[in-house]
Amino acid sequence: MKINGKLVEARPAPGQCLRTFIRDQGEDSVKKGCDAGDCGACSVLIDGEPHHSCLIPAFRVSDAEITTVSGLGTPDNMHPLQQRFVDAAGFQCGFCTAGMVVTVSALDRAQLDDLPQSLKGNLCRCTGYRSICDAIDGVVGTEKVSAGDPGRSVGRSIPAPAAKRIVTGTEPYTMDRLPTDLGHIAVVGSPHPHARILSIDTTAAEQMPGVRAVLTHRDDPGVRFSTARHENRLDDPDDTHVFDTTVRFVGQRVAAVVADSMTVARRAGELITVEYEVLQANFDPALATEPGTPLVHGDKGRGARIADPQSNLVAGFEGTTGDVDAGLEQARAAGGTVVSGRWQTARVQHTHLETHGAVGWRDENGRLVIRSSTQVPFLIRDELCHIFGLPADDLRVHTARVGGGFGGKQELLTEDLVLLAMLKTGRPAVYEFTRTDQFTIAPCRHPMRIDVTAAAGADGVLTALSVSVLSDAGAYGNHSTGVLFHSCGESVALYRCANKHVDARAVYTNNIPSGAFRGYGLGQVSFGIEGAIDELAAQLGIDPFEMRRINVTVPGDPLVTWQVEEDDLEYGSYGLDQCLDLAQGALESGRTDPTRNGEVLASQPDWQIGEGMAATMIATIPPRGHHADARMTLTAEGDFIAAVGTAEFGNGTTTVLTQIAASALGCAPSQIVLQQADTDVVGHDTGAFGSAGTVVAGKALNSACVELRRRIIEVAAARLGADQADCRLGPQGVQAGAAFIDLPGVAAAAGGTLECSGNHDGSPRSVAYNVHAFRVAVSTATGQVRILQSLQAADAGVVMNPQQCRGQIEGGAAQAIGTALYEEMILEDGHVMTQVLRNYHIPQLADVPRTDVYFADTYDSVGPLGAKSMSEAPYNPVAPALESAIRNAIGVRIHQLPMNPPRVWRALTT
Ligand code: FES
């Protein structure tokens, strides 16, 4: 066949699909998102027609012309459509982009006019699709900065530095440009939710030609750890082994085969026989701490940092400020009301399009190297060295561009097996999750039960707020402690109330483990608290926006959960008042917008129209330490190299950090070369999670740049014989009156290069705000919910890159709409039944409304150059805002996610 115009002569393996065949020919622009024909990341043109290459047997198209996205254009000579994706920032992580561009390139006019239908085979988890539609429509981002407009890049919508490579499929991801002689890893998982391994027979597998090693608990290094990664490794319980002798959820690793090919590895895995003693299991978190319930980690002592392994309690806490009972009485006495309810959130998957994976090899000096799809390369390096007893210098961990994370890649899931395989075989190794692995063995979002009692007087003033949370940790405690604390943090502290009570527990079950997910618990508990506040407002006849104005904390108020929040949390800026005004104004103006189509539905007897909103607050940095080192270098050639540890996974840090550096040094963004996410590049970086990429790494880089600028001026002034106060640093060099020295000259005068460092420890922390509002139509006949208007107002401080930040908010809202209305992992006795994207529906273009985005105008005194984070935050208010709008439409509150048609219909009819 011809691939991108080049004749290829090769014999496909029996049954080989076109996707892997193309990649075997060295063409990496074809990505794997599902290998089941659902996501479209592997789309190519076959004789000009778009197809999912994972569904096509390679031999069937042996005489075809195949075009991948890199066949459409190159970074230096882009197809017009690729240019439009650059201009409109039509991607975030970019993992879907190759397939998206290739598909759109083949659409005719009629198909372009019906994008929801034409793109139903191409999924994007990051963008919310608006920027993709903008790209297709040729909408150019506003507020562009050009190379001739240097030094003014903060606050402007500059394109991502990797934009041209992403749209042409030439930006490498984790599984691209793999080393040779790879050992492919296939894992044998437990069929039981709880069992003891009595014996494993690996003889037949080991004898199979092509098998390099078979790994079992006999190869376990004997060190317990947590897959969750934090700055302080003691934050999570040590309850996990690389290979354990007890399995606690279906699919847990029992053995792994390392072989010359994945086909051999899988076949050999089928030859392994395991004898189990099946143990009783518990799948119900409500029963987990009851006497007699099977213990998931009963074999462990307190040294594992489990709150109480003898009652399945991972973590728990309780506290009261004031007197809640007195507060309830106070409300009744003041002619007010009391609301009590139980809310339940669902188990959902991150569904980043790039699955988990890692590849390892030894470099030319024999040092171990791992490239991983991770948000936390430094923490992965440190924990691997802890588990395997290696000095930190013996292992380098780095990332390529990561294809989405949403918190899911703050876990150590594949790297340990890759390292063990390398150590056992002495050869390179690769381990990549399938999409089904992603659903069945990767941690998901914690399902939570939230009981809320709230009371307010007739004037709407809150007098009592009591919150009780039960979180299903699943079989391992990774992130459960942190998520539990965070879930009851800013969600409770948002409200000024003298009488508060919080109690919360995270418990072990034999379900799939839960883990970090965008919002880190806030979205779950906000679903309950915002619902209760909304119900109070409804019962008191107070507008929900007004209810917030009456009760939210403002600068000067202490931030109180059941105690005053940690001292390093402060109001670096405050834009919630603006957000409430912006959202309310936009919602009201939408009532008369004919494009919303609400009037048509409103005229039909079985559709009811409703409006609703919710507000959320989030700390801009995680607590308990978040550290970033940065280094800024002026090279002999006059280039600037910015070195940071934080990773790029669609969070936009590459762009924002480039803007920060360019602004500080008065140069064009194109003059900044960013090196990142590599343990060899800087001393340490906690990682890109908790929205820390901009505010922690950004501050570290800014301080390095400020120091470099000072040094450049100092050197130039000495060289020119000028006063430092008269020196001006520009894109090309330093001007002092009529005298000028260019940047290479400054570097030469400094001895060849100039290098400055900066770091930031993640304290103090500020708070950011989001208000989401919806107008919906709800069918009383079917329970169907249609979103007529969606908008979000955000307080992001100084918005570093409006186009990119807007995309983050649109994407967060789209992801949250999916998890609010229809996404749900279904488990039966611990077995995940939703194993492919076809039966775990994430939003397609057709499902997602346009979310209008508004920004408050604030300057944060804590963040870099006035900025606050806006990565997780947009997700959190969406589900409670939908809950509020549905309640407003039909008079019935839905207390359970997802609020799908059967659930809404049942609520209406019972
Ligand atoms: Fe579409 Fe990340 S940009 S999946």
Side-chain angles (χ1 to χ4, degrees):
M1 67 180 67
K2 275 190 176 171
I3 300 177
N4 294 333
K6 275 194 228 146
L7 189 64
V8 169
E9 291 191 34
R11 182 179 294 277
Q16 184 171 24
C17 72
L18 181 60
R19 182 188 75 78
T20 56
F21 180 77
I22 294 172
R23 286 182 64 90
D24 282 353
Q25 311 315 311
E27 181 52 62
D28 285 339
S29 62
V30 182
K31 305 301 183 196
K32 182 210 79 175
C34 67
D35 267 352
D38 294 325
C39 78
C42 68
S43 297
V44 298
L45 302 183
I46 301 175
D47 293 331
E49 290 289 324
H51 290 274
H52 292 172
S53 61
C54 68
L55 291 180
I56 311 280
F59 80 91
R60 287 252 175 91
V61 287
S62 58
D63 55 354
E65 294 239 10
I66 309 296
T67 306
T68 76
V69 74
S70 58
L72 293 178
T74 64
D76 295 329
N77 184 23
M78 288 188 289
H79 185 285
L81 180 63
Q82 291 168 324
Q83 180 66 58
R84 296 207 296 272
F85 267 76
V86 171
D87 291 340
F91 58 84
Q92 284 172 23
C93 80
F95 202 75
C96 70
T97 309
M100 200 72 77
V101 169
V102 129
T103 302
V104 176
S105 74
L107 300 182
D108 61 26
R109 187 66 258 164
Q111 291 166 322
L112 286 169
D113 288 341
D114 189 8
L115 286 177
Q117 171 68 20
S118 305
L119 285 180
K120 69 178 187 177
N122 289 78
L123 298 177
C124 175
R125 188 56 154 172
C126 300
T127 61
Y129 297 98
R130 175 181 164 185
S131 63
I132 291 172
C133 292
D134 281 355
I136 295 167
D137 292 343
V139 175
V140 176
T142 55
E143 295 287 307
K144 291 258 169 224
V145 65
S146 70
D149 188 14
R152 295 185 55 232
S153 56
V154 161
R156 314 294 292 273
S157 296
I158 71 163
K164 291 182 179 180
R165 298 191 298 275
I166 288 168
V167 302
T168 55
T170 50
E171 175 72 5
Y173 290 79
T174 315
M175 291 297 153
D176 298 337
R177 302 179 194 173
L178 293 173
T180 56
D181 190 32
L182 271 176
H184 298 260
I185 298 174
V187 164
V188 176
S190 166
H192 306 294
H194 200 190
R196 200 169 288 126
I197 296 169
L198 300 179
S199 67
I200 303 181
D201 185 351
T202 59
T203 313
E206 283 163 352
Q207 289 172 350
M208 192 165 171
V211 170
R212 300 180 184 183
V214 180
L215 308 171
T216 68
H217 63 83
R218 295 186 282 268
D219 303 287
D220 183 72
V223 175
R224 281 204 311 260
F225 64 101
S226 173
T227 60
R229 304 308 332 129
H230 286 106
E231 174 71 19
N232 182 352
R233 70 173 304 284
L234 305 181
D235 282 355
D236 297 280
D238 278 341
D239 58 8
T240 304
H241 280 273
V242 175
F243 287 102
D244 209 338
T245 51
T246 298
V247 287
R248 299 174 173 84
F249 69 96
V250 175
Q252 181 174 333
R253 236 186 241 174
V254 172
V257 178
V258 191
D260 292 347
S261 72
M262 184 51 89
T263 305
V264 172
R266 286 192 179 132
R267 282 192 189 144
E270 292 167 6
L271 302 178
I272 295 171
T273 54
V274 186
E275 191 184 354
Y276 295 95
E277 176 194 352
V278 176
L279 305 173
Q280 281 196 320
N282 172 49
F283 310 112
D284 185 350
L287 299 177
T289 55
E290 296 293 315
T293 301
L295 298 178
V296 182
H297 289 277
D299 57 331
K300 297 183 177 65
R302 299 251 172 189
R305 296 189 303 283
I306 298 167
D308 185 3
Q310 300 310 314
S311 68
N312 286 324
L313 187 67
V314 185
F317 58 88
E318 181 169 6
T320 303
T321 183
D323 183 336
V324 169
D325 287 339
L328 300 179
E329 257 331 292
Q330 191 184 336
R332 291 188 187 104
T337 188
V338 175
V339 166
S340 284
R342 171 167 288 181
W343 281 260
Q344 178 69 51
T345 67
R347 182 177 276 104
V348 295
Q349 230 293 322
H350 310 73
T351 330
H352 31 74
L353 274 207
E354 183 194 47
T355 60
H356 290 279
V359 55
W361 64 91
R362 285 186 186 270
D363 67 15
E364 58 280 8
N365 299 316
R367 191 165 71 131
L368 294 158
V369 179
I370 289 180
R371 183 172 73 218
S372 172
S373 180
T374 181
Q375 297 171 230
V376 287
F378 288 80
L379 303 189
I380 294 292
R381 189 268 316 265
D382 292 349
E383 195 63 7
L384 289 176
C385 289
H386 172 75
I387 296 168
F388 290 90
L390 296 171
D393 287 347
D394 284 9
L395 176 62
R396 172 188 169 210
V397 176
H398 67 113
T399 77
R401 192 177 181 91
V402 176
F406 313 118
K409 290 176 178 171
Q410 199 189 337
E411 307 265 2
L412 195 163
L413 298 177
T414 56
E415 301 89 343
D416 56 334
L417 213 43
V418 167
L419 182 53
L420 181 60
M422 279 201 288
L423 294 173
K424 288 286 175 187
T425 65
R427 294 160 74 179
V430 62
Y431 179 29
E432 183 183 18
F433 274 21
T434 65
R435 180 55 58 187
T436 293
D437 289 338
Q438 210 63 52
F439 281 114
T440 55
I441 59 175
C444 54
R445 190 191 196 207
H446 286 81
M448 289 190 189
R449 189 188 77 189
I450 308 115
D451 291 302
V452 184
T453 297
D459 57 0
V461 174
L462 269 180
T463 57
L465 180 61
S466 176
V467 182
S468 178
V469 175
L470 177 65
S471 173
D472 185 356
Y476 289 89
N478 47 306
H479 288 290
S480 291
T481 308
V483 166
L484 193 69
F485 272 90
H486 192 240
S487 71
C488 300
E490 297 95 303
S491 57
V492 178
L494 178 61
Y495 291 100
R496 188 191 319 111
C497 179
N499 307 301
K500 291 181 178 178
H501 173 83
V502 177
D503 68 83
R505 292 173 297 151
V507 296
Y508 285 121
T509 61
N510 294 105
N511 294 320
I512 183 174
S514 306
F517 187 106
R518 194 175 202 165
Y520 215 59
L522 275 185
Q524 293 96 310
V525 173
S526 293
F527 180 58
I529 292 180
E530 290 301 292
I533 300 291
D534 188 68
E535 188 59 34
L536 278 178
Q539 292 187 15
L540 293 171
I542 297 174
D543 178 88
F545 288 96
E546 197 54 32
M547 188 72 181
R548 271 50 176 211
R549 291 188 186 98
I550 293 169
N551 289 297
V552 294
T553 42
V554 298
D557 288 335
L559 293 169
V560 179
T561 49
W562 70 94
Q563 59 191 9
V564 177
E565 273 297 302
E566 295 155 86
D567 287 344
D568 77 334
L569 194 59
E570 57 187 64
Y571 298 92
S573 61
Y574 187 82
L576 177 54
D577 48 352
Q578 292 181 49
C579 289
L580 288 166
D581 292 347
L582 287 165
Q584 186 168 21
L587 186 64
E588 287 172 358
S589 71
R591 285 177 198 154
T592 55
D593 183 346
T595 63
R596 306 296 182 191
N597 203 28
E599 288 66 24
V600 177
L601 288 173
S603 66
Q604 298 175 16
D606 57 347
W607 286 89
Q608 300 293 322
I609 308 295
E611 295 174 353
M613 57 77 65
T616 51
M617 175 174 77
I618 190 168
T620 53
I621 312 171
R624 296 168 59 77
H626 202 106
H627 186 96
D629 289 340
R631 193 176 56 254
M632 200 68 213
T633 305
L634 173 64
T635 68
E637 294 74 32
D639 296 325
F640 291 112
I641 296 179
V644 294
T646 193
E648 172 65 63
F649 57 104
N651 51 351
T653 47
T654 313
T655 320
V656 167
L657 294 176
T658 300
Q659 290 178 268
I660 288 173
S663 287
L665 294 165
C667 66
S670 57
Q671 288 177 263
I672 307 291
V673 177
L674 197 69
Q675 299 174 339
Q676 65 184 136
D678 187 334
T679 55
D680 272 5
V681 163
V682 292
H684 185 65
D685 190 287
T686 305
F689 64 88
S691 307
T694 295
V695 289
V696 185
K699 274 198 105 160
L701 183 63
N702 190 49
S703 64
C705 291
V706 168
E707 178 61 11
L708 181 63
R709 182 187 181 94
R710 191 191 68 74
R711 290 280 293 124
I712 289 172
I713 297 285
E714 185 179 78
V715 169
R719 187 70 175 198
L720 297 174
D723 196 296
Q724 288 185 32
D726 297 329
C727 292
R728 297 280 172 274
L729 174 60
Q732 308 306 323
V734 178
Q735 193 85 43
F740 177 78
I741 180 169
D742 64 12
L743 290 172
V746 173
T753 60
L754 260 181
E755 187 174 290
C756 293
S757 298
N759 59 66
H760 185 51
D761 66 359
S763 185
R765 303 178 296 139
S766 184
V767 283
Y769 297 94
N770 299 75
V771 175
H772 203 105
F774 284 107
R775 189 161 176 254
V776 301
V778 184
S779 166
T780 53
T782 66
Q784 189 186 357
V785 176
R786 274 199 210 158
I787 296 172
L788 306 176
Q789 187 181 6
S790 170
L791 62 99
Q792 187 167 130
D795 173 21
V798 169
V799 180
M800 289 280 189
N801 186 316
Q803 189 180 43
Q804 185 175 284
C805 193
R806 191 200 73 192
Q808 283 283 341
I809 294 169
E810 292 162 351
Q815 190 178 33
I817 288 169
T819 55
L821 292 184
Y822 38 82
E823 290 182 39
E824 183 173 23
M825 294 170 66
I826 305 294
L827 269 63
E828 289 183 9
D829 293 340
H831 295 257
V832 177
M833 310 309 289
T834 41
Q835 297 194 357
V836 290
L837 286 164
R838 204 158 294 182
N839 57 25
Y840 181 90
H841 180 84
I842 68 169
Q844 300 176 337
L845 172 55
D847 299 317
V848 181
R850 176 191 170 107
T851 291
D852 294 326
V853 174
Y854 303 87
F855 290 114
D857 183 10
T858 64
Y859 184 99
D860 198 72
S861 61
V862 172
L865 307 177
K868 298 200 264 198
S869 50
M870 197 47 60
S871 297
E872 304 173 273
Y875 182 94
N876 296 329
V878 170
L882 272 168
E883 172 196 348
S884 166
I886 294 169
R887 160 72 169 84
N888 184 249
I890 60 175
V892 178
R893 185 169 300 281
I894 312 299
H895 287 84
Q896 189 170 356
L897 295 181
M899 296 177 283
N900 54 26
R903 199 159 276 147
V904 174
W905 183 83
R906 269 199 302 274
L908 276 163
T909 53
T910 54

